[in-house]
Amino acid sequence: MDEGMTAVRRQFPTRIKAIDDLSARSEDFREICRDFADAQSALEKWDVSTDPKRAERVVEYQELVAELSKEIEGALDHASLSRPR
């Protein structure tokens, strides 16, 4: 399992089956998950940085992580609504 899927499964532990199902059939979803993992990683690095731009970058990456999280949730919701019952 790649880093993106691991990060998203950690973020949404109650939706692991939906994550696995959607990632198995959607390259776009897998790409969003990779972006999410990259943004989380960058946030962690900036969080401990001593760079003068630290606070500014932390806010930027927090916003990016939140946006990607909403995008992932939306994709999961859409996929669950469009699945045949």
Side-chain angles (χ1 to χ4, degrees), residues 17-18 21-22 25 76-85:
K17 173 136 178 49
D21 290 348
L22 186 53
R25 61 181 198 271
L76 292 170
D77 290 345
H78 182 265
S80 70
L81 291 175
S82 62
R83 285 187 67 201
R85 297 184 193 265

Side-chain angles (χ1 to χ4, degrees), residues 1 7 22-23 25-26 33 35 38 40 42 46 59 62 68 73 75 78 82-83 85:
M1 180 174 310
L22 186 53
S23 69
R25 61 181 198 271
S26 173
C33 293
D35 291 345
D38 290 345
Q40 277 192 327
W46 278 106
V59 169
Q62 285 173 333
L68 289 166
E73 274 190 298
H78 182 265
S82 62
R83 285 187 67 201
R85 297 184 193 265

Side-chain angles (χ1 to χ4, degrees), residues 16-61:
I16 289 175
K17 173 136 178 49
I19 292 164
D20 292 347
D21 290 348
L22 186 53
S23 69
R25 61 181 198 271
S26 173
E27 177 59 34
D28 289 341
F29 182 72
R30 290 190 300 271
E31 182 64 33
I32 295 167
C33 293
R34 284 189 289 271
D35 291 345
F36 179 79
D38 290 345
Q40 277 192 327
S41 179
L43 174 58
E44 290 169 7
K45 288 176 186 169
W46 278 106
D47 210 27
V48 296
S49 174
T50 58
D51 189 287
K53 295 200 180 256
R54 176 196 166 276
E56 182 181 334
R57 297 294 179 256
V58 165
V59 169
E60 289 173 3
Y61 279 103

Side-chain angles (χ1 to χ4, degrees), residues 36 60-72:
F36 179 79
E60 289 173 3
Y61 279 103
Q62 285 173 333
E63 290 172 357
L64 181 57
V65 166
E67 288 170 15
L68 289 166
S69 182
K70 286 180 187 175
E71 191 171 346
I72 290 165

